């Protein structure tokens, strides 16, 4: 039996029997989420929680000072950063900034795949948030939030993570990148759904993980649509499907033109979001 076939059988069986090991959120992300859900928490108390992780603290100050936040006066402390970002956005942004900690392996080939997966996720988040910001500037009644969009984009393909970790036990499969992509496309959606359910993420994340690969018409623009725009930008879909989908998004004014990444406003925001992860 080939290594590819063996891995597919193992993954199918573990998914059916609910034995596939799912990743857990970093401890600091769990603590931030728990405290952010407390309606009585203060900004000072939230800063105290984040301060337990120096790397996350530095990133939150970077976010607060970023062009994306649209502020020119620099903050110098975590307390100031948390105040500027605000409790309404802090949870999703903090979790997003901590997510990279999950994409780690001791196996060189697996780490290369995880690095690629993280880069794709950051690219997706940058494009999706930029397009959403452009849309919201012209549709003031849009209720979608940029912090939710960023986190949704970072987890849209999270189901690929345990697939790659499981494949670590079958190093031969990494010599077949086409097979790995087919395997991820086959399994990542149901596995990703299990992951975000186990993490206690809200309902708005479910359709992103489940449906971004399968373009479908929605009555109102949602987070999944902006993930699909990012997928179009990185040539995920077949050309004919991408053109059809993009034409629909232009008609519905999600983006102004098919070459939407050449629009100055979208391109600038894209660069601002990407800078947050550098």
């Amino acid at each position: 039996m080939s290594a590819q076939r063996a891995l597919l059988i193992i993954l199918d069986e573990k998914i059916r029997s609910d034995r596939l090991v799912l990743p857990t959120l970093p401890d600091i992300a769990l603590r931030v989420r728990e405290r952010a859900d407390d309606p009585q928490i203060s900004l000072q108390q939230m800063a105290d929680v984040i301060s337990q992780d120096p790397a996350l603290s530095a990133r939150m100050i970077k976010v607060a000072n970023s062009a994306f936040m649209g502020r020119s006066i620099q903050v110098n402390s975590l307390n100031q950063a948390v105040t500027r970002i605000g409790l309404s956005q802090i949870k999703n942004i903090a979790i997003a900034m901590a997510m990279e900690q999950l994409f780690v392996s001791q196996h060189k080939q697996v780490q290369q795949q995880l690095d690629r997966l993280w880069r794709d996720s950051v690219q997706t988040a940058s494009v999706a948030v930029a397009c959403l910001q452009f849309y919201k500037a012209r549709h003031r009644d849009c209720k979608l939030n940029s912090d939710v969009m960023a986190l949704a984009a970072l987890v849209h393909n999270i189901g690929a993570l345990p697939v790659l970790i499981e494949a670590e036990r079958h190093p031969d499969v990494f010599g077949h990148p086409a097979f790995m992509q087919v395997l991820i496309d086959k399994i990542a959606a149901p596995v990703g759904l299990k992951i975000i359910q186990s993490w206690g993420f809200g309902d708005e994340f479910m359709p992103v993980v489940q449906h971004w690969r399968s373009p479908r018409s929605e009555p109102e623009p949602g987070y999944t649509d902006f993930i699909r725009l990012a997928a179009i930008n990185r040539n995920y879909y077949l050309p004919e499907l991408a053109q059809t989908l993009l034409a629909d998004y232009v008609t519905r004014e999600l983006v102004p033109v098919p070459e939407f990444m050449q629009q100055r406003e979208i391109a600038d925001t894209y660069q601002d979001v990407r800078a947050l992860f550098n």
Side-chain angles (χ1 to χ4, degrees), residues 82-98:
V82 170
T83 300
R84 174 170 291 182
I85 295 169
L87 286 174
S88 64
Q89 299 184 69
I90 202 77
K91 177 172 71 172
N92 289 327
I93 292 177
I95 293 174
M97 292 295 107

Side-chain angles (χ1 to χ4, degrees), residues 126-127 129-135 138 254-257 259-272:
S126 303
V127 174
V129 171
C131 291
L132 175 59
Q133 291 282 75
F134 183 91
Y135 180 80
R138 288 151 182 80
L254 271 72
V255 287
V257 293
E259 302 80 14
F260 59 91
M261 289 305 297
Q262 296 180 20
Q263 293 291 298
R264 179 65 179 272
E265 186 175 340
I266 294 177
D268 286 351
T269 305
Y270 163 81
Q271 293 294 344
D272 291 344

Side-chain angles (χ1 to χ4, degrees), residues 51-156:
S51 69
Q52 298 170 25
D53 188 302
L56 181 59
S57 298
R59 284 203 156 189
M60 297 309 287
I61 293 173
K62 182 177 181 179
V63 169
N65 285 327
S66 67
F68 180 70
M69 293 296 295
R71 303 298 182 95
S72 57
I73 300 175
Q74 298 287 291
V75 303
N76 301 308
S77 70
L78 181 59
N79 287 348
Q80 292 173 327
V82 170
T83 300
R84 174 170 291 182
I85 295 169
L87 286 174
S88 64
Q89 299 184 69
I90 202 77
K91 177 172 71 172
N92 289 327
I93 292 177
I95 293 174
M97 292 295 107
M99 283 284 296
E100 190 174 4
Q101 298 177 30
L102 297 176
F103 294 75
V104 176
S105 171
Q106 298 300 316
H107 190 287
K108 181 179 179 180
Q109 288 181 301
V110 177
Q111 187 59 59
Q112 290 172 345
Q113 294 280 344
L114 292 175
D115 288 343
R116 184 178 298 111
L117 180 61
W118 177 247
R119 288 195 302 270
D120 285 347
S121 298
V122 170
Q123 172 73 4
T124 298
S126 303
V127 174
V129 171
C131 291
L132 175 59
Q133 291 282 75
F134 183 91
Y135 180 80
K136 283 170 64 72
R138 288 151 182 80
H139 298 80
R140 300 293 183 179
D141 58 340
C142 176
K143 305 300 184 185
L144 303 179
N145 295 316
S146 295
D147 56 302
V148 175
M149 180 78 266
L151 184 54
L154 290 178
V155 302
H156 80 286

Side-chain angles (χ1 to χ4, degrees), residues 227-263:
I227 298 292
R228 291 180 184 135
L229 279 167
I232 291 171
N233 182 66
R234 62 185 177 92
N235 300 316
Y236 175 81
Y237 305 114
L238 293 174
E240 184 176 352
L241 177 57
Q243 290 174 9
T244 301
L245 186 59
L246 188 52
D248 179 59
Y249 285 150
V250 172
T251 299
R252 295 165 62 193
E253 299 182 345
L254 271 72
V255 287
V257 293
E259 302 80 14
F260 59 91
M261 289 305 297
Q262 296 180 20
Q263 293 291 298

